[in-house]
Amino acid sequence: MSKTEIKKSSLSISENGLEKKISSKRLEVLKTYKIYIGGQFPRTESGRYYVPVNAEGKKLANVCLSSRKDFRDAVVAARGAFGSWSNRAAFNRSQILYRMAEMLEGRKAQFIEELIQQESSKAKAVKEVNLAIDRLIYYAGWCDKFQQLFSAVNPVASSHFNFSVPEPTGVVAVIAPQSDSLSGLVSVIAPVIAGGNTCIVLASETKPLCSITFAEVLNSSDLPGGVVNILTGKVAELLPWFVTHMDVNAAIYCESDLETIKMIQEKSALNLKRISFYDKVKWNTEEGQSPYFIMDTQEIKTTWHPIENVAGAGGSY
Amino acid sequence: MPKSISKGKSNIIKLKFDTSWKYAPAPESKNAATIKSQYDLFINGEWIKPSGNKYFDTINPANEEKLSEVAEANAADVDKAVTVARKAYEKVWKKMPAKERAKYIFRIARIIQEKARELAIIESLDGGKPIRESRDFDVPTAANHFFYYAGWADKLEYAFPNRKTEPLGVAGQIIPWNFPLLMAAWKIAPAIATGNTVVLKPAETTSLTALKLAEIIQESDLPPGVVNIITGAGATGAAIVNHPDINKIAFTGSTDVGKIIQRAIAGTNKKATLELGGKAANIIFEDAPIDQAVEGVINGIYFNQGHVCCAGSRLYVQESVAKVIIRKLKDRIESLIVGDPLDKNTDIGAINSRQQLDTIHKYIRIGKLEGSEMYESSCALPGKGFWCRPTLFTNVAQSNRIAQEEIFGPVLAILTFRTDDEVIEKANNSPYGLSAGVWTDKGSKIFNMTKRMRAGVIWANTFNKFDPSSPFGGYKESGYGREGGLHGLMPYLNLNALSP
């Protein structure tokens, strides 16, 4: 009897202790940050990873150190997705961008937490996430409007109907901004895909967390696989492949490193990629959005057709 | 056109143009044009001697006779031109009210019209193109281009919503030999209308009409230094590209040189517009108006001896109509008149240079070696000068070099296809994307094709049409930026956000 009592009481003591222990020591489930290619979340084929740390030296996560081959796979996925994405009704692209905003709104808390981990204050993080959502909505609205703004029916002197319209350039390689790891990322992706292009994005090297979580948002937003592909890794390692790949039509770089800019200009001459440098853009302001960003990855196509000119009726019938 | 139809042994009705009567020669008079024996460099509104004191000959490719000699600008001359262009930009042109700028440009357009005959003659003499083309196309279109952009000068705030425009500064412009005056107009007109100043270099084989344009610019009283025209070959062009005080390079020419230019300006703040090579697909469906299509194909490839970056040099014919179209094309090239560029009857003039003729011959050899069947007109060629008969190849494979590479001559590669998807795949299978053509009577098919073809200019049921209001420029390795139309303003402007 007493034995049992002792047992019981010792159990209750240990139970209490155990409870305390578990509540303070519950093993956190760490997130594996994988890359995003063709609507799937593979690990890098290279099996490599790196460990970005924040200012206090706290380890953020094990993040894929993507390779040239991952990039090549991503280009294949982006090229494969280009035909159907560019041929979709602009209205439909608009709906999907809006859906992305909805999904991002629903996961706000997670992004704020990640931004704080990556050394942002709470207030700043909230502001950045809100801005990223609003920016998606801004470009959702442009999807079926910028064409009207930048098209023209040209009054040629001969008897022809002639018009010029923007068309997406194709596959775009994007080096996302290193700071503004969410709002900058969204600000460079949105105009590219709003215009019907597909892209491969290299996330901020030092602050990659939001990029992969954003890929999860994309994955649940009706955005077809392959339209946006997101890699994590070293800019210095991957950038040369981004700008020399022969099936990439355009490249975007957001930093101001002159040597890198020069390298991009030289190497992209290989197949005359259209290159845009956004080193002076402040993504967290109004100047970080405009339809002219969409036009940076558009081509102008001009179409001619004769107008029959045979009947006797003049213009004043 | 007099023609008689006769039945040959093969029972095929053939066009015959030479049985009833021959065309009497109808040559334009050389005397209506004044060509000086020597031309200096046009810098700061004056003619100045090249500092290296070197001149090179410019010849008539139709008879290899020397027409004149032209100054060769070296790096010091380029520097001189850029310096005065900078000064003119800062001190005069940028500050001038836009409507006044416009009036100078209108004035240039008018003088080109007044001197149209002389310009057309010189264009044909120096470049070898038929007078019919220089008279009816090159020169009037050049004048129209100045007219078109003159009017934009004081209306730029309407062109780019929510943006304030600002000129770039000094533009270095390098143009090719296939449309010498017209390319000068395409380059100069939008640049100065938007408030930039210009250093332009024409191609070394065709400097004369650009120098005539310099005379016109002098006559127009355009402020000195706004447009400078300097002559020379590749080294002069390189000196322009590499000059540190140039803000913008506008280049029309080969894709190879375009890439060299992009590499050369890497790491600088120079902007660029590159209008480069092409290998246009021209597609005929079985439901096309066959005779119009054949005529369009002829115009597409033999216009200007095929020295056209947007030439329809790859013909895709739907299998069901291939036989009849190939027969009609062979018949039609037999009737093309090859000869004296100054003769108003001439359809095909002289090849621009010996070098270009060698390139064309090289590709004709390659075409034969690769197993394609060659057919050329049986016409006689003049003894002197550079000539090439209108030529076509049948049984060409997609992978053949004559179907992949730009020949820049009167050589057509003919391929066949069965389905829409197949021909789209083949047409887009090219590093180039400058232009394309489609022939069909079905409207919905036209829009399907024009939408899916990856090229900057698409002609449906027509080909090789140009207009100052119509943007021109390529996709992919055919370059970037547009010339012509509203879109042609953008490459010469910075677009700044309106301050809040």
Side-chain angles (χ1 to χ4, degrees), chain A residues 150 157 162 167-169 265 268 270 274 292 300-302 304-306, chain B residues 161 259 262 267 450 453-454 456 458 460 467 470 475 479 482 487:
Chain A
F150 296 102
N162 174 301
E167 275 190 354
T169 295
Q265 287 170 325
S268 63
L270 193 62
R274 285 73 172 121
Y292 293 94
I300 296 296
K301 175 184 275 183
T302 300
W304 293 70
H305 195 280
Chain B
K259 291 178 180 178
Q262 185 175 323
T450 56
M453 284 198 278
R454 303 286 292 160
I458 314 241
D467 192 276
S470 175
Y475 283 32
R482 291 293 176 267
H487 298 88

PDB file of all heavy atoms in Angstrom, chain A residues 150 157 162 167-169 265 268 270 274 292 300-302 304-306, chain B residues 161 259 262 267 450 453-454 456 458 460 467 470 475 479 482 487:
ATOM      1  N   PHE A 150       0.692  49.663 -74.434  1.00  0.00           N
ATOM      2  CA  PHE A 150       1.923  49.679 -75.224  1.00  0.00           C
ATOM      3  C   PHE A 150       1.735  49.116 -76.638  1.00  0.00           C
ATOM      4  O   PHE A 150       2.708  48.842 -77.326  1.00  0.00           O
ATOM      5  CB  PHE A 150       3.023  48.924 -74.479  1.00  0.00           C
ATOM      6  CG  PHE A 150       3.407  49.593 -73.181  1.00  0.00           C
ATOM      7  CD1 PHE A 150       2.950  49.121 -71.963  1.00  0.00           C
ATOM      8  CD2 PHE A 150       4.202  50.730 -73.188  1.00  0.00           C
ATOM      9  CE1 PHE A 150       3.285  49.754 -70.767  1.00  0.00           C
ATOM     10  CE2 PHE A 150       4.546  51.368 -72.002  1.00  0.00           C
ATOM     11  CZ  PHE A 150       4.076  50.881 -70.786  1.00  0.00           C
ATOM     12  N   ALA A 157       1.326  54.329 -94.732  1.00  0.00           N
ATOM     13  CA  ALA A 157       0.898  55.097 -95.905  1.00  0.00           C
ATOM     14  C   ALA A 157       0.344  54.214 -97.017  1.00  0.00           C
ATOM     15  O   ALA A 157      -0.275  54.705 -97.951  1.00  0.00           O
ATOM     16  CB  ALA A 157       2.070  55.923 -96.417  1.00  0.00           C
ATOM     17  N   ASN A 162      -1.967  47.529 -90.031  1.00  0.00           N
ATOM     18  CA  ASN A 162      -0.668  47.298 -89.387  1.00  0.00           C
ATOM     19  C   ASN A 162      -0.791  47.594 -87.905  1.00  0.00           C
ATOM     20  O   ASN A 162      -1.254  48.661 -87.511  1.00  0.00           O
ATOM     21  CB  ASN A 162       0.351  48.242 -90.055  1.00  0.00           C
ATOM     22  CG  ASN A 162       1.704  48.217 -89.391  1.00  0.00           C
ATOM     23  OD1 ASN A 162       1.826  48.519 -88.206  1.00  0.00           O
ATOM     24  ND2 ASN A 162       2.729  47.889 -90.143  1.00  0.00           N
ATOM     25  N   GLU A 167       4.726  41.086 -76.781  1.00  0.00           N
ATOM     26  CA  GLU A 167       4.661  39.638 -76.566  1.00  0.00           C
ATOM     27  C   GLU A 167       5.780  39.261 -75.608  1.00  0.00           C
ATOM     28  O   GLU A 167       6.847  39.871 -75.642  1.00  0.00           O
ATOM     29  CB  GLU A 167       4.912  38.888 -77.882  1.00  0.00           C
ATOM     30  CG  GLU A 167       3.685  38.719 -78.735  1.00  0.00           C
ATOM     31  CD  GLU A 167       3.950  37.765 -79.901  1.00  0.00           C
ATOM     32  OE1 GLU A 167       5.102  37.338 -80.092  1.00  0.00           O
ATOM     33  OE2 GLU A 167       2.990  37.472 -80.620  1.00  0.00           O
ATOM     34  N   PRO A 168       5.565  38.236 -74.791  1.00  0.00           N
ATOM     35  CA  PRO A 168       6.620  37.879 -73.836  1.00  0.00           C
ATOM     36  C   PRO A 168       7.900  37.422 -74.541  1.00  0.00           C
ATOM     37  O   PRO A 168       7.847  36.762 -75.570  1.00  0.00           O
ATOM     38  CB  PRO A 168       5.999  36.738 -73.032  1.00  0.00           C
ATOM     39  CG  PRO A 168       4.870  36.234 -73.860  1.00  0.00           C
ATOM     40  CD  PRO A 168       4.374  37.390 -74.659  1.00  0.00           C
ATOM     41  N   THR A 169       9.034  37.785 -73.915  1.00  0.00           N
ATOM     42  CA  THR A 169      10.331  37.437 -74.492  1.00  0.00           C
ATOM     43  C   THR A 169      10.603  35.940 -74.430  1.00  0.00           C
ATOM     44  O   THR A 169      11.211  35.392 -75.332  1.00  0.00           O
ATOM     45  CB  THR A 169      11.433  38.211 -73.740  1.00  0.00           C
ATOM     46  OG1 THR A 169      11.238  39.602 -73.995  1.00  0.00           O
ATOM     47  CG2 THR A 169      12.816  37.825 -74.214  1.00  0.00           C
ATOM     48  N   GLN A 265      26.860  41.460 -69.055  1.00  0.00           N
ATOM     49  CA  GLN A 265      26.730  42.067 -70.380  1.00  0.00           C
ATOM     50  C   GLN A 265      27.561  41.316 -71.418  1.00  0.00           C
ATOM     51  O   GLN A 265      27.124  41.096 -72.548  1.00  0.00           O
ATOM     52  CB  GLN A 265      27.157  43.538 -70.321  1.00  0.00           C
ATOM     53  CG  GLN A 265      26.121  44.399 -69.611  1.00  0.00           C
ATOM     54  CD  GLN A 265      26.619  45.801 -69.316  1.00  0.00           C
ATOM     55  OE1 GLN A 265      27.798  45.996 -69.023  1.00  0.00           O
ATOM     56  NE2 GLN A 265      25.727  46.775 -69.383  1.00  0.00           N
ATOM     57  N   SER A 268      26.083  37.524 -71.833  1.00  0.00           N
ATOM     58  CA  SER A 268      24.740  37.419 -72.407  1.00  0.00           C
ATOM     59  C   SER A 268      24.734  37.763 -73.889  1.00  0.00           C
ATOM     60  O   SER A 268      23.757  37.505 -74.582  1.00  0.00           O
ATOM     61  CB  SER A 268      23.752  38.295 -71.641  1.00  0.00           C
ATOM     62  OG  SER A 268      24.129  39.634 -71.755  1.00  0.00           O
ATOM     63  N   LEU A 270      26.208  36.164 -75.963  1.00  0.00           N
ATOM     64  CA  LEU A 270      26.268  34.871 -76.643  1.00  0.00           C
ATOM     65  C   LEU A 270      25.017  34.600 -77.477  1.00  0.00           C
ATOM     66  O   LEU A 270      25.110  34.147 -78.611  1.00  0.00           O
ATOM     67  CB  LEU A 270      26.456  33.777 -75.579  1.00  0.00           C
ATOM     68  CG  LEU A 270      26.854  32.398 -76.057  1.00  0.00           C
ATOM     69  CD1 LEU A 270      28.206  32.435 -76.757  1.00  0.00           C
ATOM     70  CD2 LEU A 270      26.911  31.448 -74.872  1.00  0.00           C
ATOM     71  N   ARG A 274      18.156  39.724 -73.551  1.00  0.00           N
ATOM     72  CA  ARG A 274      17.744  41.051 -73.115  1.00  0.00           C
ATOM     73  C   ARG A 274      18.103  41.141 -71.635  1.00  0.00           C
ATOM     74  O   ARG A 274      17.717  40.272 -70.855  1.00  0.00           O
ATOM     75  CB  ARG A 274      16.236  41.223 -73.265  1.00  0.00           C
ATOM     76  CG  ARG A 274      15.775  41.416 -74.697  1.00  0.00           C
ATOM     77  CD  ARG A 274      15.849  40.163 -75.521  1.00  0.00           C
ATOM     78  NE  ARG A 274      15.209  40.382 -76.824  1.00  0.00           N
ATOM     79  CZ  ARG A 274      15.810  40.243 -77.995  1.00  0.00           C
ATOM     80  NH1 ARG A 274      17.076  39.833 -78.069  1.00  0.00           N
ATOM     81  NH2 ARG A 274      15.164  40.473 -79.106  1.00  0.00           N
ATOM     82  N   TYR A 292       6.298  49.518 -66.786  1.00  0.00           N
ATOM     83  CA  TYR A 292       7.548  49.524 -67.547  1.00  0.00           C
ATOM     84  C   TYR A 292       8.442  48.351 -67.137  1.00  0.00           C
ATOM     85  O   TYR A 292       9.266  47.903 -67.941  1.00  0.00           O
ATOM     86  CB  TYR A 292       8.269  50.870 -67.400  1.00  0.00           C
ATOM     87  CG  TYR A 292       7.496  52.002 -68.053  1.00  0.00           C
ATOM     88  CD1 TYR A 292       6.610  52.793 -67.329  1.00  0.00           C
ATOM     89  CD2 TYR A 292       7.609  52.242 -69.424  1.00  0.00           C
ATOM     90  CE1 TYR A 292       5.873  53.800 -67.937  1.00  0.00           C
ATOM     91  CE2 TYR A 292       6.874  53.241 -70.038  1.00  0.00           C
ATOM     92  CZ  TYR A 292       6.006  54.025 -69.287  1.00  0.00           C
ATOM     93  OH  TYR A 292       5.270  55.009 -69.899  1.00  0.00           O
ATOM     94  N   ILE A 300       8.255  43.630 -79.102  1.00  0.00           N
ATOM     95  CA  ILE A 300       7.162  44.230 -79.856  1.00  0.00           C
ATOM     96  C   ILE A 300       7.057  43.508 -81.196  1.00  0.00           C
ATOM     97  O   ILE A 300       8.028  43.415 -81.947  1.00  0.00           O
ATOM     98  CB  ILE A 300       7.404  45.736 -80.088  1.00  0.00           C
ATOM     99  CG1 ILE A 300       7.410  46.488 -78.753  1.00  0.00           C
ATOM    100  CG2 ILE A 300       6.335  46.318 -81.030  1.00  0.00           C
ATOM    101  CD1 ILE A 300       6.090  46.478 -77.998  1.00  0.00           C
ATOM    102  N   LYS A 301       5.880  42.958 -81.445  1.00  0.00           N
ATOM    103  CA  LYS A 301       5.645  42.294 -82.733  1.00  0.00           C
ATOM    104  C   LYS A 301       4.728  43.156 -83.595  1.00  0.00           C
ATOM    105  O   LYS A 301       3.685  43.615 -83.133  1.00  0.00           O
ATOM    106  CB  LYS A 301       4.999  40.918 -82.519  1.00  0.00           C
ATOM    107  CG  LYS A 301       4.633  40.233 -83.842  1.00  0.00           C
ATOM    108  CD  LYS A 301       3.908  38.930 -83.618  1.00  0.00           C
ATOM    109  CE  LYS A 301       4.892  37.803 -83.393  1.00  0.00           C
ATOM    110  NZ  LYS A 301       4.210  36.502 -83.237  1.00  0.00           N
ATOM    111  N   THR A 302       5.132  43.355 -84.830  1.00  0.00           N
ATOM    112  CA  THR A 302       4.339  44.153 -85.762  1.00  0.00           C
ATOM    113  C   THR A 302       3.809  43.256 -86.869  1.00  0.00           C
ATOM    114  O   THR A 302       4.568  42.481 -87.451  1.00  0.00           O
ATOM    115  CB  THR A 302       5.205  45.270 -86.361  1.00  0.00           C
ATOM    116  OG1 THR A 302       5.676  46.095 -85.300  1.00  0.00           O
ATOM    117  CG2 THR A 302       4.401  46.128 -87.331  1.00  0.00           C
ATOM    118  N   TRP A 304       1.496  42.912 -90.449  1.00  0.00           N
ATOM    119  CA  TRP A 304       0.958  43.617 -91.624  1.00  0.00           C
ATOM    120  C   TRP A 304      -0.043  42.723 -92.348  1.00  0.00           C
ATOM    121  O   TRP A 304       0.188  41.520 -92.473  1.00  0.00           O
ATOM    122  CB  TRP A 304       2.062  43.909 -92.638  1.00  0.00           C
ATOM    123  CG  TRP A 304       3.117  44.880 -92.262  1.00  0.00           C
ATOM    124  CD1 TRP A 304       4.099  44.710 -91.332  1.00  0.00           C
ATOM    125  CD2 TRP A 304       3.344  46.175 -92.858  1.00  0.00           C
ATOM    126  NE1 TRP A 304       4.922  45.818 -91.319  1.00  0.00           N
ATOM    127  CE2 TRP A 304       4.490  46.724 -92.246  1.00  0.00           C
ATOM    128  CE3 TRP A 304       2.700  46.911 -93.860  1.00  0.00           C
ATOM    129  CZ2 TRP A 304       5.004  47.979 -92.589  1.00  0.00           C
ATOM    130  CZ3 TRP A 304       3.216  48.157 -94.204  1.00  0.00           C
ATOM    131  CH2 TRP A 304       4.343  48.682 -93.567  1.00  0.00           C
ATOM    132  N   HIS A 305      -1.100  43.330 -92.854  1.00  0.00           N
ATOM    133  CA  HIS A 305      -1.964  42.619 -93.801  1.00  0.00           C
ATOM    134  C   HIS A 305      -2.532  43.616 -94.798  1.00  0.00           C
ATOM    135  O   HIS A 305      -2.918  44.713 -94.407  1.00  0.00           O
ATOM    136  CB  HIS A 305      -3.094  41.881 -93.068  1.00  0.00           C
ATOM    137  CG  HIS A 305      -3.752  40.865 -93.947  1.00  0.00           C
ATOM    138  ND1 HIS A 305      -4.693  41.190 -94.889  1.00  0.00           N
ATOM    139  CD2 HIS A 305      -3.553  39.519 -94.070  1.00  0.00           C
ATOM    140  CE1 HIS A 305      -5.060  40.097 -95.544  1.00  0.00           C
ATOM    141  NE2 HIS A 305      -4.376  39.076 -95.069  1.00  0.00           N
ATOM    142  N   PRO A 306      -2.583  43.235 -96.066  1.00  0.00           N
ATOM    143  CA  PRO A 306      -3.130  44.167 -97.062  1.00  0.00           C
ATOM    144  C   PRO A 306      -4.613  44.426 -96.813  1.00  0.00           C
ATOM    145  O   PRO A 306      -5.327  43.576 -96.286  1.00  0.00           O
ATOM    146  CB  PRO A 306      -2.955  43.434 -98.395  1.00  0.00           C
ATOM    147  CG  PRO A 306      -2.101  42.257 -98.122  1.00  0.00           C
ATOM    148  CD  PRO A 306      -2.172  41.962 -96.665  1.00  0.00           C
TER     149      PRO A 306
ATOM    150  N   PRO B 161       3.155  57.080 -70.994  1.00  0.00           N
ATOM    151  CA  PRO B 161       2.300  57.490 -69.890  1.00  0.00           C
ATOM    152  C   PRO B 161       3.052  57.488 -68.552  1.00  0.00           C
ATOM    153  O   PRO B 161       3.827  56.560 -68.282  1.00  0.00           O
ATOM    154  CB  PRO B 161       1.194  56.434 -69.888  1.00  0.00           C
ATOM    155  CG  PRO B 161       1.492  55.481 -70.970  1.00  0.00           C
ATOM    156  CD  PRO B 161       2.665  55.932 -71.725  1.00  0.00           C
ATOM    157  N   LYS B 259      27.155  41.115 -81.663  1.00  0.00           N
ATOM    158  CA  LYS B 259      27.618  40.501 -80.416  1.00  0.00           C
ATOM    159  C   LYS B 259      28.949  41.109 -79.974  1.00  0.00           C
ATOM    160  O   LYS B 259      29.175  41.322 -78.777  1.00  0.00           O
ATOM    161  CB  LYS B 259      27.760  38.980 -80.610  1.00  0.00           C
ATOM    162  CG  LYS B 259      26.421  38.281 -80.776  1.00  0.00           C
ATOM    163  CD  LYS B 259      26.596  36.786 -81.020  1.00  0.00           C
ATOM    164  CE  LYS B 259      25.231  36.128 -81.168  1.00  0.00           C
ATOM    165  NZ  LYS B 259      25.345  34.684 -81.451  1.00  0.00           N
ATOM    166  N   GLN B 262      28.113  44.334 -78.335  1.00  0.00           N
ATOM    167  CA  GLN B 262      27.586  44.197 -76.969  1.00  0.00           C
ATOM    168  C   GLN B 262      28.710  43.874 -75.976  1.00  0.00           C
ATOM    169  O   GLN B 262      28.738  44.387 -74.864  1.00  0.00           O
ATOM    170  CB  GLN B 262      26.491  43.128 -76.885  1.00  0.00           C
ATOM    171  CG  GLN B 262      25.884  43.119 -75.470  1.00  0.00           C
ATOM    172  CD  GLN B 262      24.706  42.176 -75.300  1.00  0.00           C
ATOM    173  OE1 GLN B 262      23.895  42.032 -76.201  1.00  0.00           O
ATOM    174  NE2 GLN B 262      24.621  41.559 -74.138  1.00  0.00           N
ATOM    175  N   GLY B 267      30.110  46.798 -69.275  1.00  0.00           N
ATOM    176  CA  GLY B 267      30.770  47.520 -68.196  1.00  0.00           C
ATOM    177  C   GLY B 267      30.737  49.027 -68.375  1.00  0.00           C
ATOM    178  O   GLY B 267      31.246  49.761 -67.537  1.00  0.00           O
ATOM    179  N   THR B 450       0.530  34.210 -87.187  1.00  0.00           N
ATOM    180  CA  THR B 450       1.259  35.440 -86.846  1.00  0.00           C
ATOM    181  C   THR B 450       1.496  35.511 -85.342  1.00  0.00           C
ATOM    182  O   THR B 450       2.469  36.095 -84.899  1.00  0.00           O
ATOM    183  CB  THR B 450       0.497  36.701 -87.312  1.00  0.00           C
ATOM    184  OG1 THR B 450      -0.810  36.692 -86.741  1.00  0.00           O
ATOM    185  CG2 THR B 450       0.386  36.754 -88.814  1.00  0.00           C
ATOM    186  N   MET B 453       4.463  32.690 -84.536  1.00  0.00           N
ATOM    187  CA  MET B 453       5.811  32.850 -85.087  1.00  0.00           C
ATOM    188  C   MET B 453       6.590  33.857 -84.255  1.00  0.00           C
ATOM    189  O   MET B 453       6.102  34.944 -83.963  1.00  0.00           O
ATOM    190  CB  MET B 453       5.736  33.268 -86.553  1.00  0.00           C
ATOM    191  CG  MET B 453       5.372  32.090 -87.423  1.00  0.00           C
ATOM    192  SD  MET B 453       5.743  32.354 -89.143  1.00  0.00           S
ATOM    193  CE  MET B 453       4.334  33.295 -89.647  1.00  0.00           C
ATOM    194  N   ARG B 454       7.804  33.447 -83.873  1.00  0.00           N
ATOM    195  CA  ARG B 454       8.619  34.274 -82.986  1.00  0.00           C
ATOM    196  C   ARG B 454       9.476  35.203 -83.834  1.00  0.00           C
ATOM    197  O   ARG B 454      10.650  34.927 -84.106  1.00  0.00           O
ATOM    198  CB  ARG B 454       9.489  33.378 -82.094  1.00  0.00           C
ATOM    199  CG  ARG B 454       8.703  32.387 -81.263  1.00  0.00           C
ATOM    200  CD  ARG B 454       7.969  33.001 -80.098  1.00  0.00           C
ATOM    201  NE  ARG B 454       8.882  33.497 -79.088  1.00  0.00           N
ATOM    202  CZ  ARG B 454       8.542  34.412 -78.174  1.00  0.00           C
ATOM    203  NH1 ARG B 454       7.324  34.926 -78.172  1.00  0.00           N
ATOM    204  NH2 ARG B 454       9.421  34.802 -77.290  1.00  0.00           N
ATOM    205  N   GLY B 456       9.816  39.682 -85.055  1.00  0.00           N
ATOM    206  CA  GLY B 456       9.403  41.047 -84.748  1.00  0.00           C
ATOM    207  C   GLY B 456       8.468  41.666 -85.769  1.00  0.00           C
ATOM    208  O   GLY B 456       7.671  42.546 -85.433  1.00  0.00           O
ATOM    209  N   ILE B 458       5.825  40.571 -88.913  1.00  0.00           N
ATOM    210  CA  ILE B 458       5.193  39.466 -89.622  1.00  0.00           C
ATOM    211  C   ILE B 458       4.330  40.024 -90.734  1.00  0.00           C
ATOM    212  O   ILE B 458       3.474  40.892 -90.504  1.00  0.00           O
ATOM    213  CB  ILE B 458       4.318  38.622 -88.682  1.00  0.00           C
ATOM    214  CG1 ILE B 458       5.098  38.358 -87.399  1.00  0.00           C
ATOM    215  CG2 ILE B 458       3.871  37.348 -89.391  1.00  0.00           C
ATOM    216  CD1 ILE B 458       5.391  36.973 -87.046  1.00  0.00           C
ATOM    217  N   ALA B 460       1.555  39.168 -93.447  1.00  0.00           N
ATOM    218  CA  ALA B 460       0.559  38.187 -93.832  1.00  0.00           C
ATOM    219  C   ALA B 460       0.011  38.582 -95.196  1.00  0.00           C
ATOM    220  O   ALA B 460      -0.465  39.707 -95.377  1.00  0.00           O
ATOM    221  CB  ALA B 460      -0.567  38.138 -92.806  1.00  0.00           C
ATOM    222  N   ASP B 467       7.354  51.089 -93.282  1.00  0.00           N
ATOM    223  CA  ASP B 467       6.727  52.399 -93.150  1.00  0.00           C
ATOM    224  C   ASP B 467       7.315  53.063 -91.908  1.00  0.00           C
ATOM    225  O   ASP B 467       7.603  52.389 -90.920  1.00  0.00           O
ATOM    226  CB  ASP B 467       5.205  52.223 -92.999  1.00  0.00           C
ATOM    227  CG  ASP B 467       4.466  53.539 -93.155  1.00  0.00           C
ATOM    228  OD1 ASP B 467       4.360  54.287 -92.155  1.00  0.00           O
ATOM    229  OD2 ASP B 467       4.004  53.827 -94.282  1.00  0.00           O
ATOM    230  N   SER B 470       5.739  52.202 -88.631  1.00  0.00           N
ATOM    231  CA  SER B 470       5.657  50.786 -88.288  1.00  0.00           C
ATOM    232  C   SER B 470       6.956  50.306 -87.639  1.00  0.00           C
ATOM    233  O   SER B 470       8.005  50.319 -88.266  1.00  0.00           O
ATOM    234  CB  SER B 470       5.387  49.978 -89.557  1.00  0.00           C
ATOM    235  OG  SER B 470       5.410  48.605 -89.283  1.00  0.00           O
ATOM    236  N   TYR B 475      13.372  39.553 -82.698  1.00  0.00           N
ATOM    237  CA  TYR B 475      13.396  38.705 -81.521  1.00  0.00           C
ATOM    238  C   TYR B 475      14.765  38.006 -81.518  1.00  0.00           C
ATOM    239  O   TYR B 475      15.477  37.989 -82.502  1.00  0.00           O
ATOM    240  CB  TYR B 475      12.317  37.617 -81.604  1.00  0.00           C
ATOM    241  CG  TYR B 475      10.890  38.038 -81.319  1.00  0.00           C
ATOM    242  CD1 TYR B 475      10.436  39.310 -81.639  1.00  0.00           C
ATOM    243  CD2 TYR B 475       9.986  37.152 -80.766  1.00  0.00           C
ATOM    244  CE1 TYR B 475       9.122  39.678 -81.391  1.00  0.00           C
ATOM    245  CE2 TYR B 475       8.668  37.505 -80.525  1.00  0.00           C
ATOM    246  CZ  TYR B 475       8.243  38.779 -80.848  1.00  0.00           C
ATOM    247  OH  TYR B 475       6.938  39.128 -80.616  1.00  0.00           O
ATOM    248  N   GLY B 479      18.524  40.685 -82.696  1.00  0.00           N
ATOM    249  CA  GLY B 479      18.799  41.961 -82.039  1.00  0.00           C
ATOM    250  C   GLY B 479      17.695  42.418 -81.123  1.00  0.00           C
ATOM    251  O   GLY B 479      16.757  41.672 -80.846  1.00  0.00           O
ATOM    252  N   ARG B 482      13.554  48.703 -81.139  1.00  0.00           N
ATOM    253  CA  ARG B 482      12.743  48.857 -82.338  1.00  0.00           C
ATOM    254  C   ARG B 482      13.084  50.170 -83.026  1.00  0.00           C
ATOM    255  O   ARG B 482      13.441  51.153 -82.374  1.00  0.00           O
ATOM    256  CB  ARG B 482      11.247  48.841 -81.988  1.00  0.00           C
ATOM    257  CG  ARG B 482      10.750  47.481 -81.515  1.00  0.00           C
ATOM    258  CD  ARG B 482      10.794  46.451 -82.643  1.00  0.00           C
ATOM    259  NE  ARG B 482      10.404  45.115 -82.193  1.00  0.00           N
ATOM    260  CZ  ARG B 482      11.266  44.187 -81.780  1.00  0.00           C
ATOM    261  NH1 ARG B 482      12.572  44.448 -81.726  1.00  0.00           N
ATOM    262  NH2 ARG B 482      10.842  42.990 -81.414  1.00  0.00           N
ATOM    263  N   HIS B 487       7.259  53.076 -80.961  1.00  0.00           N
ATOM    264  CA  HIS B 487       8.196  52.217 -80.240  1.00  0.00           C
ATOM    265  C   HIS B 487       9.647  52.552 -80.570  1.00  0.00           C
ATOM    266  O   HIS B 487      10.543  52.207 -79.821  1.00  0.00           O
ATOM    267  CB  HIS B 487       7.892  50.751 -80.529  1.00  0.00           C
ATOM    268  CG  HIS B 487       6.527  50.341 -80.066  1.00  0.00           C
ATOM    269  ND1 HIS B 487       5.401  50.477 -80.857  1.00  0.00           N
ATOM    270  CD2 HIS B 487       6.103  49.848 -78.895  1.00  0.00           C
ATOM    271  CE1 HIS B 487       4.344  50.058 -80.185  1.00  0.00           C
ATOM    272  NE2 HIS B 487       4.736  49.665 -78.983  1.00  0.00           N
TER     273      HIS B 487
END
